[in-house]
Amino acid sequence: MKRLFTTLAVLFVGTITMATAQQANERPIYLDPDAPIEERVEDALSRMTLREKMAIIHAQSKFSAPGVPRLGISEIWCTDGPHGIRPEVMWDEWDQARWTNDSCIAYPALTCLAATWNRDCALSYGRSIGEEARFRDKDVLLGPGVNIYRTPLCGRNFEYMGEDPYLASEMVVPYVKGVQEQGVAACVKHYALNNEEQHRHTVDVSLSDRALREIYLPAFKAAVTEGGAWSLMGSYNKYRGTYACHNHRLLVEILKQEWGFDGAVISDWGGVHSTEEAIHNGLDMEFGTWTDGLREGASNAYDNYYMALPYLKLIESGEVGTEELDDKVRRVLRLTFRTAMNNDKPYGAMCSEAHSLAARQIAEEGIVLLKNHNNNLPIAPDAKRILVVGENAIKMMTVGGGSSSLKVKYECSPLDGIRNYYGDDVEVLYARGYVGDVTGDYNGVVTGQNLVDKRSPKRLIAEAVEMAREADHVIFIGGLNKSNNQDCEGTDRRSLDLPYNQDAVIEELAEVSDNLTVVFVSGNAVAMPWIDEVESVVQVWYLGSEAGNAIANVLSGEVNPSGKLPFTFGVKLEDYMAHAEGAKFPNPKKVFYHDGIFVGYRGFEKREIEPLFAFGHGLSYTTFEYSNLQLSATEAVAGNRIDETILEATVTITNRGDRAGKEVVQLYISDVESSVIRPKKELKGFEKVELQPGESKTITFSLTPEALAFYNENSSSWTVESGEYRVLISASSADIRLDKSFTLR
Ligand code: GLC
């Protein structure tokens, strides 16, 4: 009997031990990387205390949120910016932490990416910058920005993708996908209507629903519904009287309910102004609310955030429930399991050769040849002396401009790039030409350049002109920079004109040189009163680490330029409808977007104003012929789905020159007989093709009802009307090459 009891006891203890051991081996679901994310979310949520839930929906430092240490749920770390990974900052400061291993590759600014009109470039861009974020152990990349270019004075246009919602939509999707392949969340910004800087914290924007839907929201919608963005950043400004960071219509009704966004809405830094509104209007994570860190106030100043103790008190007093809190926590947990606790995420890479190559290829593809009289470019192969003039040939552009400022591994200047390319074969001389901004520091990152030059403008011009007389080719490199009231966050430009007396330099150089090329480093359009006096004009954007190499490759003809403008260059500021009829800008308080849907080329064409250079314009060193436009039918019927193909357009493109080149074939739709006023044409398709000399390719565009639709404010829905439509195959918005009509029944 005793043996029996002993046996039973051993069996019993063994069973318990096994069970305990088994239980100990059974990881909780939220820690099981193979468990479905939603199960992980619910399991983690069920284990969290109220205070733990409150903690993860707001920052614990300048760029991080705490996670749940007790449960082993990771922190979330964010980083700027859209063009490269920001240097590490102090715990609660904007100043850099002075690490020695956080220099990055600076990719071209997003206006350049948009100017490539190449979806593959956007994917390559997202993958490369996502790898750098992952390598730096960042979970959320605070970018890309896709605010629409409504006015050429907005200080942050250089961070965005131009004036057309279709182009921005098509380019943002691959960028988001490329970033998120690295287990890093894109945080598409600034949602929405952040189209000016000076008064961005106070301006209250209102506009027609049609303009909101047709112009300002499409790129955000595409990033969410096609790109699958895991996070989105609310903007500082108000929309219809309520701050965008907690705006029920934008965040709950449109973003989450209509578009089905399941990610996290992150405030812009300091964009939260109300606990009540943050609770009920769709904000999920609060960052950057004013706090001077741990020095003042409560034990932890972050407890004073709107979505911290004030929120906790409302719950503990019973004034609000926990339903909204649980939704926020679910979204933060989902973000965490997609990024920080995503066990499949790659390792990332930093400053690799592949990243430099990607940066240079995007830069080369984004450079736009605006004018090239007498084939002044590429620089003649027998040129023996080249003169480079201008501050932007030497000034570092990766430091400054606001939160997109970087600490780079290297930045090849235009002058260095040109000298490196030509080596000892050609004499490359330099003259300053003008003095702009000699500073070069941001958040503790310094360029180390000494650009001080005390000579008078007159002497600077005289030196350049004298040297130009003896040069075979003169390259003026100017434009804007990242200083206040240029291309810079938090400020807007004050005019369309070039700063620092550059017009005078260009005009005097034009007097003495018949081979003058003007190169603009900028993120915005500028006025060009001397345009008839110069042979060539090239728009080169802020190109980042590989700037000089890309510029030299295009000017020398090593690379055939293929960029197209993502926004219109007007002759004067009033040409832009946002500045018509004496409209005030910038707006400290309320602004109604009186221009409505007529932004960019839509507005120029409505008012029949000839642009200086049109949206979609860009020349090549070869020529292309467009032929044989065919429509698959002369009549079509709009089916039940707005995204189903109802008609195909095919067109043949031939390279008629003697060198290979890339062309962006653009398809615009014109609604001939609509019941509402519509733009004369709207971009609804584009394809970039590379052709060898003499080579032809046929491109097929699939047309859907979505391409024909307008937003009907009466029915608050997208409407497709029967009637006649024109398919315009173009080399730019102002250069229609082929045109055919069809009827929609
Ligand atoms: C800034 C910018 C935003 C940036 C954030 C963090 O104010 O508006 O684009 O990502 O703060 O630096």
Side-chain angles (χ1 to χ4, degrees):
M1 184 56 81
K2 188 179 176 193
R3 182 187 296 271
L4 176 60
F5 273 122
T6 305
T7 305
L8 285 174
V10 165
L11 272 177
F12 177 69
V13 169
T15 306
I16 291 293
T17 306
M18 269 180 60
T20 309
Q22 192 175 9
Q23 195 177 19
N25 289 339
E26 273 176 19
R27 273 182 299 198
I29 292 174
Y30 75 93
L31 290 178
D32 177 355
D34 301 323
I37 274 197
E38 293 315 309
E39 289 182 24
R40 297 180 72 184
V41 166
E42 292 308 318
D43 182 43
L45 180 70
S46 69
R47 299 167 186 266
M48 290 168 68
T49 66
L50 176 58
R51 286 181 177 273
E52 287 169 340
K53 292 179 182 178
M54 198 55 68
I56 72 167
I57 63 170
H58 64 79
Q60 68 172 354
S61 75
K62 190 59 84 180
F63 282 101
S64 72
V68 188
R70 177 180 65 87
L71 296 175
I73 292 176
S74 307
E75 298 176 336
I76 286 279
W77 279 86
C78 305
T79 181
D80 287 311
H83 311 147
I85 306 307
R86 183 173 185 157
E88 208 64 30
V89 298
M90 313 279 262
W91 181 257
D92 186 59
E93 305 296 336
W94 293 111
D95 257 5
Q96 65 147 332
R98 288 171 175 72
W99 284 13
T100 55
N101 62 348
D102 58 351
S103 300
C104 70
I105 290 290
Y107 297 91
L110 293 191
T111 38
C112 175
L113 175 61
T116 69
W117 292 58
N118 185 335
R119 300 172 180 90
D120 294 339
C121 283
L123 181 60
S124 163
Y125 197 123
R127 283 175 171 161
S128 303
I129 196 171
E131 283 182 344
E132 300 221 355
R134 179 44 53 213
F135 188 87
R136 283 276 305 283
D137 206 14
K138 304 300 180 182
D139 309 303
V140 180
L141 173 70
L142 301 174
V146 290
N147 292 101
I148 287 293
Y149 186 109
R150 175 176 179 254
T151 159
L153 303 188
C154 175
R156 286 185 92 171
N157 281 332
F158 73 98
E159 290 191 47
Y160 305 145
M161 297 192 190
E163 73 187 30
D164 183 84
Y166 179 81
L167 176 63
S169 300
E170 290 295 302
M171 297 303 284
V172 71
V173 169
Y175 180 113
V176 167
K177 288 181 173 177
V179 169
Q180 298 189 164
E181 282 176 8
Q182 314 312 316
V184 176
C187 185
V188 187
K189 65 188 186 181
H190 305 84
Y191 183 73
L193 302 163
N194 185 172
N195 306 104
E196 60 183 85
E197 283 298 299
Q198 202 70 41
H199 307 295
R200 59 180 175 160
H201 292 279
T202 58
V203 67
D204 181 1
V205 178
S206 55
L207 73 170
S208 70
D209 273 358
R210 190 159 171 224
L212 179 71
R213 296 287 188 159
E214 289 190 20
I215 303 297
Y216 295 98
L217 291 191
F220 290 102
K221 179 178 181 183
V224 168
T225 59
E226 296 169 47
W230 293 339
S231 67
L232 204 92
M233 184 189 291
S235 60
Y236 284 127
N237 54 281
K238 291 179 181 177
Y239 164 56
R240 290 185 176 175
T242 303
Y243 284 105
C245 283
H246 30 78
N247 186 295
H248 195 271
R249 181 148 196 255
L250 288 176
L251 299 180
V252 178
E253 296 165 42
I254 295 175
L255 176 65
K256 293 180 176 179
Q257 291 174 353
E258 190 180 315
W259 297 349
F261 179 64
D262 71 355
V265 174
I266 296 174
S267 75
D268 200 340
W269 268 238
V272 183
H273 302 274
S274 156
T275 295
E276 287 281 345
E277 291 185 1
I279 294 169
H280 299 293
N281 292 357
L283 181 68
D284 301 305
M285 296 186 88
E286 177 183 359
F287 278 89
T289 299
W290 182 86
T291 161
D292 66 349
L294 310 180
R295 284 198 302 270
E296 277 190 18
S299 60
N300 175 351
Y302 292 95
D303 292 339
N304 299 323
Y305 269 39
Y306 292 95
M307 290 216 294
L309 285 178
Y311 188 5
L312 186 62
K313 284 178 184 147
L314 288 174
I315 289 177
E316 287 172 340
S317 69
E319 284 182 66
V320 296
T322 57
E323 185 187 346
E324 295 86 358
L325 175 62
D326 284 351
D327 181 60
K328 299 177 198 301
V329 172
R330 282 191 179 91
R331 291 170 183 273
V332 177
L333 289 170
R334 194 171 294 130
L335 179 64
T336 307
F337 294 138
R338 284 170 164 165
T339 59
M341 294 177 75
N342 165 358
N343 291 55
D344 299 328
K345 63 183 180 293
Y347 294 107
M350 194 78 184
C351 300
S352 65
E353 283 184 21
H355 291 172
S356 291
L357 178 61
R360 191 173 74 248
Q361 285 175 332
I362 293 161
E364 289 168 349
E365 284 232 17
I367 289 175
V368 184
L369 178 58
L370 293 177
K371 177 182 180 184
N372 195 25
H373 181 58
N374 283 342
N375 294 320
N376 177 54
L377 288 176
I379 295 171
D382 61 354
K384 286 299 168 214
R385 176 177 294 164
I386 295 172
L387 172 67
V388 177
V389 181
E391 184 173 281
N392 282 5
I394 59 174
K395 182 177 174 65
M396 276 185 76
M397 292 293 183
T398 53
V399 174
S403 56
S404 62
S405 179
L406 297 171
K407 176 166 77 174
V408 292
K409 196 82 173 176
Y410 68 91
E411 179 181 353
C412 176
S413 72
L415 180 60
D416 287 346
I418 293 166
R419 282 181 164 156
N420 294 344
Y421 179 83
Y422 284 100
D424 301 332
D425 301 343
V426 177
E427 191 182 17
V428 179
L429 305 174
Y430 176 69
R432 183 68 174 267
Y434 69 92
V435 175
D437 181 344
V438 299
T439 63
D441 61 282
Y442 188 85
N443 279 168
V445 176
V446 292
T447 62
Q449 293 186 302
N450 177 2
L451 298 178
V452 174
D453 190 324
K454 299 294 185 190
R455 289 178 292 171
S456 69
K458 193 166 177 227
R459 276 199 58 197
L460 289 165
I461 292 176
E463 175 199 45
V465 168
E466 203 45 44
M467 294 170 75
R469 293 180 198 282
E470 309 305 322
D472 300 318
H473 203 110
V474 178
I475 306 170
F476 174 86
I477 302 181
L480 305 175
N481 58 34
K482 300 292 189 69
S483 314
N484 284 352
N485 302 113
Q486 300 295 326
D487 285 323
C488 180
E489 175 180 342
T491 67
D492 293 306
R493 292 167 70 199
R494 295 192 176 113
S495 92
L496 192 61
D497 298 339
L498 281 171
Y500 315 127
N501 196 35
Q502 292 177 68
D503 287 334
V505 186
I506 294 167
E507 283 157 2
E508 299 238 12
L509 290 172
E511 290 289 323
V512 298
S513 168
D514 294 335
N515 298 95
L516 174 58
T517 292
V518 172
V519 173
F520 282 142
V521 177
S522 74
N524 254 317
V526 294
M528 304 184 201
W530 33 260
I531 185 62
D532 296 333
E533 314 307 317
V534 306
E535 282 66 39
S536 302
V537 180
V538 187
Q539 174 66 25
V540 301
W541 315 111
Y542 296 109
L543 295 176
S545 292
E546 284 288 321
N549 294 324
I551 291 170
N553 285 342
V554 168
L555 297 182
S556 64
E558 193 72 26
V559 167
N560 190 354
S562 62
K564 301 277 185 176
L565 287 180
F567 52 76
T568 306
F569 274 60
V571 172
K572 58 188 185 306
L573 186 60
E574 296 69 33
D575 291 351
Y576 296 85
M577 202 148 165
H579 295 277
E581 294 121 31
K584 268 172 56 57
F585 185 88
N587 303 284
K589 292 191 175 63
K590 285 183 177 296
V591 59
F592 177 75
Y593 285 2
H594 64 278
D595 44 335
I597 60 174
F598 296 103
V599 172
Y601 66 92
R602 291 170 165 84
F604 279 74
E605 293 179 355
K606 175 182 190 311
R607 299 196 296 158
E608 297 182 351
I609 293 174
E610 189 75 21
L612 180 61
F613 294 107
F615 170 81
H617 169 73
L619 301 175
S620 169
Y621 293 148
T622 184
T623 55
F624 298 97
E625 178 187 84
Y626 291 57
S627 62
N628 196 23
L629 170 59
Q630 298 294 329
L631 301 185
S632 58
T634 55
E635 288 198 354
V637 178
N640 301 321
R641 287 174 51 86
I642 199 160
D643 60 354
E644 71 175 335
T645 297
I646 57 171
L647 182 119
E648 288 190 335
T650 57
V651 61
T652 301
I653 306 298
T654 304
N655 180 345
R656 286 298 180 211
D658 57 5
R659 59 169 296 161
K662 295 179 182 178
E663 174 69 335
V664 178
V665 182
Q666 301 161 43
L667 181 146
Y668 295 82
I669 291 291
S670 174
D671 185 347
V672 177
E673 44 184 318
S674 63
S675 64
V676 295
I677 183 171
R678 295 192 70 175
K680 287 190 174 165
K681 68 168 83 73
E682 297 176 89
L683 180 71
K684 297 297 180 184
F686 64 87
E687 287 301 331
K688 191 166 197 176
V689 289
E690 181 165 16
L691 296 168
Q692 296 305 315
E695 184 183 10
S696 294
K697 279 181 183 170
T698 297
I699 298 169
T700 299
F701 293 99
S702 297
L703 285 184
T704 64
E706 190 171 29
L708 313 180
F710 66 86
Y711 189 77
N712 186 329
E713 292 186 322
N714 299 326
S715 61
S716 296
S717 64
W718 290 92
T719 297
V720 180
E721 289 182 333
S722 58
E724 185 186 355
Y725 292 85
R726 291 170 60 200
V727 174
L728 309 173
I729 299 298
S730 307
S732 83
S733 61
D735 183 0
I736 299 171
R737 298 295 181 89
L738 300 167
D739 174 354
K740 272 192 185 282
S741 298
F742 69 93
T743 302
L744 184 71
R745 287 280 166 250

